[in-house]
Coordinates of all heavy atoms in Angstrom, one line a residue:
L473 N 136.3 382.6 108.5 CA 135.0 383.2 108.7 C 134.4 383.6 107.3 O 133.2 383.5 107.1 CB 135.1 384.4 109.6 CG 135.5 384.1 111.1 CD1 135.7 385.3 111.9 CD2 134.4 383.2 111.7
D474 N 135.2 384.2 106.5 CA 134.8 384.7 105.2 C 134.3 383.5 104.3 O 133.3 383.6 103.6 CB 135.9 385.4 104.5 CG 136.2 386.8 105.2 OD1 135.4 387.2 106.0 OD2 137.3 387.3 104.9
A475 N 135.1 382.4 104.4 CA 134.7 381.2 103.7 C 133.3 380.6 104.2 O 132.5 380.1 103.4 CB 135.7 380.1 103.8
D476 N 133.1 380.8 105.4 CA 131.8 380.3 106.0 C 130.7 381.2 105.5 O 129.6 380.7 105.1 CB 131.8 380.4 107.5 CG 130.6 379.9 108.2 OD1 130.2 378.8 107.8 OD2 130.0 380.6 109.0
I477 N 130.9 382.5 105.3 CA 129.9 383.4 104.7 C 129.6 383.0 103.3 O 128.5 383.0 102.8 CB 130.4 384.9 104.8 CG1 130.4 385.3 106.3 CG2 129.5 385.8 104.0 CD1 130.9 386.7 106.5
A478 N 130.7 382.7 102.5 CA 130.5 382.3 101.1 C 129.8 381.0 101.0 O 129.0 380.8 100.1 CB 131.9 382.2 100.5
L479 N 130.0 380.1 102.0 CA 129.3 378.8 102.0 C 127.8 379.1 102.2 O 127.0 378.4 101.6 CB 129.8 377.9 103.1 CG 129.1 376.6 103.4 CD1 129.1 375.7 102.2 CD2 129.6 375.9 104.6
Y480 N 127.5 379.9 103.1 CA 126.1 380.3 103.4 C 125.4 380.8 102.1 O 124.3 380.4 101.8 CB 126.0 381.3 104.5 CG 124.6 381.7 104.9 CD1 123.9 381.0 105.8 CD2 124.0 382.9 104.3 CE1 122.6 381.4 106.2 CE2 122.7 383.2 104.6 CZ 122.0 382.5 105.6 OH 120.7 382.9 105.9
R481 N 126.1 381.6 101.4 CA 125.6 382.1 100.1 C 125.4 381.0 99.1 O 124.4 380.9 98.4 CB 126.5 383.2 99.6 CG 126.1 383.8 98.2 CD 126.9 385.0 97.9 NE 126.6 385.5 96.5 CZ 125.5 386.3 96.3 NH1 124.8 386.6 97.3 NH2 125.3 386.7 95.1
A482 N 126.4 380.1 99.0 CA 126.3 378.9 98.1 C 125.1 378.1 98.4 O 124.3 377.7 97.5 CB 127.6 378.1 98.1
K483 N 124.8 377.8 99.6 CA 123.6 377.0 100.0 C 122.3 377.8 99.7 O 121.4 377.2 99.3 CB 123.7 376.6 101.5 CG 124.9 375.7 101.8 CD 125.0 375.4 103.3 CE 124.0 374.4 103.7 NZ 124.4 373.0 103.2
G484 N 122.4 379.1 99.9 CA 121.2 379.9 99.7 C 120.9 380.0 98.2 O 119.7 380.2 97.8
L485 N 121.9 379.8 97.3 CA 121.6 379.9 95.9 C 121.3 378.6 95.2 O 121.4 378.5 94.0 CB 122.9 380.5 95.2 CG 123.1 382.0 95.6 CD1 124.5 382.5 95.0 CD2 122.0 382.9 95.0
G486 N 121.1 377.5 96.0 CA 120.6 376.3 95.4 C 121.5 375.1 95.7 O 121.1 374.0 95.3
R487 N 122.6 375.2 96.5 CA 123.4 374.1 96.9 C 124.1 373.4 95.6 O 123.8 373.8 94.5 CB 122.6 373.0 97.6 CG 121.9 373.6 98.9 CD 121.0 372.5 99.6 NE 120.3 373.1 100.7 CZ 120.7 373.2 101.9 NH1 121.9 372.6 102.2 NH2 120.0 373.7 102.9
N488 N 125.0 372.5 95.9 CA 125.8 371.8 94.9 C 126.5 372.8 94.0 O 126.5 372.7 92.8 CB 124.9 370.9 94.1 CG 125.0 369.4 94.5 OD1 126.1 369.0 94.8 ND2 123.9 368.7 94.5
R489 N 127.1 373.8 94.6 CA 127.8 374.8 93.9 C 128.8 375.4 94.8 O 128.9 375.2 96.0 CB 126.8 375.9 93.4 CG 126.1 376.6 94.6 CD 125.0 377.6 94.1 NE 125.7 378.7 93.4 CZ 125.3 379.3 92.3 NH1 124.3 378.7 91.7 NH2 125.9 380.3 91.8
F490 N 129.7 376.3 94.3 CA 130.7 377.0 95.1 C 130.5 378.5 94.9 O 130.1 378.9 93.8 CB 132.1 376.5 94.8 CG 132.6 376.9 93.4 CD1 133.2 378.1 93.1 CD2 132.4 376.0 92.3 CE1 133.7 378.4 91.9 CE2 132.8 376.3 91.1 CZ 133.5 377.5 90.8
E491 N 130.9 379.2 95.9 CA 130.8 380.7 95.8 C 132.1 381.3 96.5 O 132.6 380.8 97.5 CB 129.6 381.3 96.5 CG 128.3 381.0 95.8 CD 128.1 381.8 94.5 OE1 128.6 383.0 94.5 OE2 127.5 381.3 93.6
F492 N 132.6 382.3 95.9 CA 133.7 383.1 96.4 C 133.2 384.1 97.4 O 132.2 384.7 97.1 CB 134.6 383.7 95.4 CG 135.5 382.7 94.7 CD1 135.1 382.0 93.5 CD2 136.8 382.4 95.2 CE1 135.9 381.1 92.9 CE2 137.6 381.5 94.5 CZ 137.2 380.9 93.4
F493 N 134.0 384.4 98.4 CA 133.6 385.4 99.4 C 133.7 386.8 98.7 O 134.6 387.1 97.9 CB 134.5 385.4 100.6 CG 134.4 386.6 101.5 CD1 133.3 386.7 102.3 CD2 135.3 387.6 101.4 CE1 133.1 387.8 103.1 CE2 135.2 388.7 102.2 CZ 134.1 388.8 103.1
S494 N 132.8 387.7 99.1 CA 132.8 389.1 98.7 C 132.4 390.0 99.8 O 131.6 389.5 100.7 CB 131.9 389.3 97.4 OG 130.6 389.1 97.8
A495 N 132.8 391.2 99.8 CA 132.4 392.1 100.9 C 130.9 392.3 100.9 O 130.3 392.4 102.0 CB 133.1 393.5 100.7
S496 N 130.3 392.3 99.7 CA 128.8 392.4 99.7 C 128.1 391.3 100.4 O 127.1 391.4 101.0 CB 128.3 392.6 98.2 OG 128.6 391.4 97.5
A497 N 128.7 390.1 100.2 CA 128.1 388.9 100.9 C 128.1 389.1 102.4 O 127.2 388.7 103.1 CB 128.9 387.6 100.5
R498 N 129.2 389.7 102.9 CA 129.3 389.9 104.4 C 128.2 390.9 104.8 O 127.6 390.7 105.8 CB 130.7 390.4 104.7 CG 130.8 390.7 106.2 CD 132.2 391.3 106.5 NE 133.3 390.4 106.3 CZ 134.5 390.7 106.2 NH1 134.9 392.0 106.3 NH2 135.5 389.8 106.0
R499 N 128.1 391.9 104.0 CA 127.0 392.9 104.3 C 125.6 392.2 104.3 O 124.8 392.5 105.1 CB 127.1 394.1 103.3 CG 128.2 395.0 103.5 CD 128.1 396.3 102.8 NE 128.0 396.1 101.3 CZ 129.0 396.0 100.5 NH1 130.3 396.3 101.0 NH2 128.9 395.8 99.2
D500 N 125.4 391.3 103.3 CA 124.1 390.7 103.2 C 123.9 389.8 104.5 O 122.8 389.7 105.0 CB 124.1 389.8 102.0 CG 124.0 390.6 100.7 OD1 123.7 391.8 100.8 OD2 124.3 390.0 99.6
I501 N 124.9 389.1 104.9 CA 124.8 388.3 106.1 C 124.5 389.1 107.3 O 123.6 388.8 108.1 CB 126.1 387.5 106.4 CG1 126.3 386.5 105.3 CG2 126.1 386.8 107.7 CD1 125.4 385.3 105.3
I502 N 125.2 390.2 107.5 CA 124.9 391.1 108.6 C 123.5 391.6 108.6 O 122.7 391.7 109.6 CB 125.9 392.2 108.7 CG1 127.3 391.7 109.0 CG2 125.5 393.3 109.7 CD1 128.4 392.7 108.8
S503 N 123.1 392.0 107.3 CA 121.7 392.6 107.2 C 120.7 391.5 107.5 O 119.6 391.8 108.1 CB 121.5 393.1 105.7 OG 120.2 393.5 105.5
A504 N 120.9 390.3 107.0 CA 120.0 389.2 107.2 C 119.9 388.9 108.7 O 118.8 388.6 109.3 CB 120.4 387.9 106.5
K505 N 121.0 388.9 109.4 CA 121.0 388.7 110.9 C 120.2 389.8 111.6 O 119.4 389.5 112.5 CB 122.4 388.7 111.4 CG 122.6 388.6 112.9 CD 122.0 387.3 113.4 CE 122.4 387.1 114.9 NZ 121.8 388.1 115.8
H506 N 120.4 391.0 111.2 CA 119.6 392.1 111.8 C 118.1 392.0 111.5 O 117.3 392.2 112.4 CB 120.1 393.5 111.2 CG 119.4 394.7 111.8 ND1 119.5 395.0 113.1 CD2 118.6 395.6 111.2 CE1 118.8 396.1 113.3 NE2 118.2 396.5 112.2
L507 N 117.8 391.6 110.3 CA 116.4 391.4 109.9 C 115.7 390.2 110.7 O 114.6 390.3 111.2 CB 116.2 391.1 108.4 CG 114.8 391.0 107.9 CD1 114.0 392.3 108.2 CD2 114.8 390.7 106.4
A508 N 116.5 389.2 110.9 CA 116.0 388.0 111.7 C 115.7 388.4 113.1 O 114.7 388.0 113.7 CB 117.1 386.9 111.7
D509 N 116.6 389.3 113.7 CA 116.3 389.8 115.1 C 115.0 390.6 115.1 O 114.2 390.5 116.0 CB 117.5 390.6 115.6 CG 118.8 389.7 115.8 OD1 118.6 388.5 115.9 OD2 119.9 390.3 115.8
E510 N 114.9 391.4 114.1 CA 113.7 392.3 114.0 C 112.4 391.5 113.9 O 111.4 391.8 114.4 CB 113.8 393.3 112.9 CG 114.8 394.4 113.1 CD 114.8 395.4 112.0 OE1 114.6 395.0 110.9 OE2 114.9 396.6 112.3
I511 N 112.5 390.4 113.1 CA 111.3 389.5 112.9 C 110.9 388.9 114.2 O 109.7 388.9 114.6 CB 111.6 388.4 111.9 CG1 111.7 389.0 110.5 CG2 110.5 387.3 111.9 CD1 112.1 388.0 109.4
L512 N 111.8 388.4 115.0 CA 111.5 387.8 116.3 C 110.9 388.8 117.2 O 110.0 388.5 118.0 CB 112.8 387.2 116.9 CG 113.4 386.0 116.1 CD1 114.7 385.5 116.8 CD2 112.4 384.8 116.0
I513 N 111.5 390.1 117.2 CA 110.9 391.1 118.0 C 109.5 391.5 117.5 O 108.6 391.7 118.3 CB 111.8 392.4 118.0 CG1 113.2 392.0 118.7 CG2 111.2 393.6 118.7 CD1 114.2 393.1 118.5
G514 N 109.3 391.5 116.2 CA 108.0 391.8 115.6 C 107.0 390.8 116.0 O 105.8 391.2 116.2
L515 N 107.3 389.6 116.1 CA 106.4 388.6 116.6 C 106.0 388.8 118.0 O 104.8 388.7 118.4 CB 107.0 387.2 116.4 CG 107.1 386.6 115.0 CD1 107.9 385.3 115.0 CD2 105.7 386.3 114.5
E516 N 106.9 389.2 118.8 CA 106.6 389.5 120.2 C 105.7 390.7 120.4 O 104.8 390.8 121.3 CB 107.9 389.7 121.0 CG 108.8 388.5 121.1 CD 110.1 388.8 121.8 OE1 110.3 390.0 122.2 OE2 110.9 387.9 122.0
R517 N 105.8 391.7 119.4 CA 105.0 392.9 119.5 C 103.8 392.9 118.7 O 103.1 393.9 118.5 CB 105.9 394.1 119.1 CG 107.1 394.3 120.0 CD 108.0 395.4 119.4 NE 109.1 395.8 120.3 CZ 110.1 396.6 120.0 NH1 110.1 397.2 118.8 NH2 111.1 396.8 120.8
N518 N 103.4 391.7 118.1 CA 102.2 391.6 117.2 C 102.2 392.6 116.1 O 101.2 393.2 115.7 CB 101.0 391.8 118.1 CG 100.7 390.6 119.0 OD1 101.0 389.5 118.6 ND2 100.2 390.9 120.2
E519 N 103.4 392.7 115.4 CA 103.5 393.6 114.3 C 103.1 393.0 113.0 O 102.9 393.7 112.0 CB 105.0 394.1 114.2 CG 105.4 395.0 115.3 CD 106.9 395.3 115.3 OE1 107.6 394.8 114.3 OE2 107.4 396.0 116.2
F520 N 102.8 391.7 113.0 CA 102.4 391.0 111.7 C 100.9 391.1 111.7 O 100.2 390.6 112.7 CB 102.9 389.6 111.7 CG 104.4 389.5 111.4 CD1 105.3 389.6 112.5 CD2 104.9 389.5 110.2 CE1 106.7 389.5 112.3 CE2 106.3 389.5 109.9 CZ 107.2 389.5 111.0
V521 N 100.3 391.6 110.6 CA 98.9 391.9 110.6 C 98.3 391.3 109.2 O 99.1 391.2 108.3 CB 98.5 393.4 110.7 CG1 99.0 393.9 112.1 CG2 99.2 394.2 109.6
P522 N 97.0 391.0 109.2 CA 96.4 390.6 107.9 C 95.9 391.8 107.1 O 95.4 392.7 107.6 CB 95.3 389.7 108.4 CG 94.9 390.3 109.7 CD 96.1 390.9 110.3
F523 N 96.1 391.7 105.8 CA 95.5 392.5 104.8 C 94.6 391.6 104.0 O 94.8 390.4 103.9 CB 96.5 393.2 103.9 CG 96.8 394.6 104.4 CD1 97.2 394.9 105.7 CD2 96.7 395.7 103.5 CE1 97.5 396.1 106.2 CE2 97.0 397.0 104.0 CZ 97.4 397.2 105.3
Y524 N 93.6 392.2 103.4 CA 92.6 391.4 102.7 C 92.4 391.9 101.2 O 92.3 393.1 101.0 CB 91.2 391.4 103.4 CG 91.3 390.9 104.8 CD1 91.5 391.8 105.9 CD2 91.3 389.6 105.1 CE1 91.6 391.4 107.2 CE2 91.4 389.1 106.4 CZ 91.6 390.0 107.5 OH 91.7 389.6 108.7
Q525 N 92.3 390.9 100.3 CA 92.0 391.3 98.9 C 90.7 390.5 98.6 O 90.6 389.3 98.6 CB 93.1 390.9 97.9 CG 92.8 391.4 96.5 CD 94.0 391.3 95.6 OE1 94.9 390.5 95.8 NE2 94.1 392.2 94.6
L526 N 89.7 391.3 98.2 CA 88.4 390.7 97.9 C 88.4 389.9 96.6 O 89.2 390.2 95.7 CB 87.3 391.8 97.8 CG 87.0 392.6 99.1 CD1 86.3 393.9 98.8 CD2 86.1 391.7 100.0
Q527 N 87.5 388.9 96.6 CA 87.3 388.0 95.4 C 85.9 388.2 95.0 O 85.0 388.3 95.8 CB 87.7 386.6 95.8 CG 89.1 386.4 96.2 CD 89.4 385.0 96.8 OE1 88.5 384.4 97.4 NE2 90.6 384.6 96.8
F528 N 85.7 388.1 93.6 CA 84.4 388.5 93.1 C 83.9 387.4 92.1 O 84.7 386.8 91.4 CB 84.5 389.8 92.3 CG 84.9 390.9 93.2 CD1 86.3 391.2 93.3 CD2 84.0 391.7 93.9 CE1 86.7 392.3 94.1 CE2 84.5 392.8 94.6 CZ 85.8 393.1 94.8
D529 N 82.6 387.2 92.1 CA 82.0 386.3 91.1 C 82.2 386.9 89.7 O 82.0 388.1 89.4 CB 80.5 386.1 91.4 CG 79.8 385.1 90.5 OD1 79.7 385.4 89.3 OD2 79.5 384.1 91.0
A530 N 82.8 386.1 88.8 CA 83.1 386.6 87.5 C 81.9 387.0 86.6 O 82.1 387.8 85.7 CB 83.9 385.5 86.7
R531 N 80.7 386.5 86.9 CA 79.6 386.9 86.1 C 78.8 388.0 86.8 O 78.3 388.9 86.1 CB 78.7 385.6 86.0 CG 79.3 384.6 85.0 CD 78.6 383.2 85.2 NE 79.0 382.5 86.4 CZ 80.2 381.9 86.5 NH1 81.0 381.8 85.5 NH2 80.5 381.3 87.7
T532 N 78.6 388.0 88.1 CA 77.8 389.0 88.8 C 78.6 390.1 89.5 O 78.0 391.1 89.9 CB 76.9 388.3 89.8 OG1 77.7 387.8 90.9 CG2 76.1 387.2 89.2
L533 N 79.9 389.8 89.6 CA 80.8 390.7 90.4 C 80.4 390.9 91.8 O 80.8 391.8 92.5 CB 80.9 392.1 89.7 CG 81.5 392.2 88.3 CD1 81.7 393.6 87.9 CD2 82.9 391.5 88.4
D534 N 79.6 389.9 92.4 CA 79.3 389.9 93.8 C 80.5 389.4 94.6 O 81.3 388.6 94.0 CB 78.1 388.9 94.1 CG 76.8 389.5 93.5 OD1 76.7 390.7 93.3 OD2 75.9 388.6 93.3
V535 N 80.7 389.9 95.8 CA 81.8 389.4 96.6 C 81.6 388.0 97.1 O 80.5 387.6 97.6 CB 81.9 390.3 97.9 CG1 83.0 389.8 98.9 CG2 82.3 391.8 97.5
T536 N 82.6 387.2 96.8 CA 82.5 385.7 97.2 C 83.4 385.4 98.3 O 83.3 384.3 98.9 CB 82.8 384.8 95.9 OG1 84.1 385.1 95.5 CG2 81.8 385.1 94.8
G537 N 84.4 386.2 98.6 CA 85.3 385.9 99.7 C 86.5 386.9 99.7 O 86.5 387.9 98.9
V538 N 87.4 386.6 100.6 CA 88.7 387.4 100.6 C 89.9 386.5 100.8 O 89.8 385.4 101.4 CB 88.6 388.4 101.8 CG1 87.6 389.5 101.6 CG2 88.4 387.7 103.1
E539 N 91.0 386.9 100.2 CA 92.2 386.2 100.5 C 93.0 387.0 101.6 O 93.1 388.2 101.5 CB 93.1 386.1 99.3 CG 94.4 385.4 99.6 CD 95.4 385.3 98.4 OE1 95.1 385.9 97.4 OE2 96.5 384.8 98.6
T540 N 93.5 386.3 102.6 CA 94.2 386.9 103.7 C 95.7 387.0 103.4 O 96.3 386.0 103.0 CB 94.0 386.2 105.0 OG1 92.6 386.0 105.2 CG2 94.5 386.9 106.2
L541 N 96.3 388.2 103.4 CA 97.7 388.4 103.1 C 98.4 388.9 104.3 O 98.0 389.8 105.0 CB 97.8 389.4 101.9 CG 97.0 389.0 100.7 CD1 96.9 390.2 99.7 CD2 97.5 387.8 100.0

Side-chain angles (χ1 to χ4, degrees):
L473 293 175
D474 294 343
D476 186 49
I477 292 174
L479 172 63
Y480 181 85
R481 179 173 175 80
K483 295 176 78 70
L485 292 174
R487 303 175 185 269
N488 260 321
R489 59 183 293 135
F490 66 89
E491 288 290 325
F492 282 91
F493 168 78
S494 65
S496 62
R498 178 184 293 165
R499 288 193 297 271
D500 291 343
I501 292 292
I502 295 172
S503 175
K505 174 64 170 61
H506 181 65
L507 183 60
D509 293 338
E510 289 187 319
I511 287 174
L512 295 177
I513 295 172
L515 286 170
E516 294 175 358
R517 296 176 177 174
N518 289 322
E519 293 174 358
F520 290 88
V521 297
F523 264 51
Y524 302 95
Q525 187 169 27
L526 291 164
Q527 298 169 333
F528 303 88
D529 185 290
R531 289 165 286 279
T532 66
L533 294 185
D534 291 338
V535 174
T536 60
V538 294
E539 179 183 1
T540 309
L541 306 168

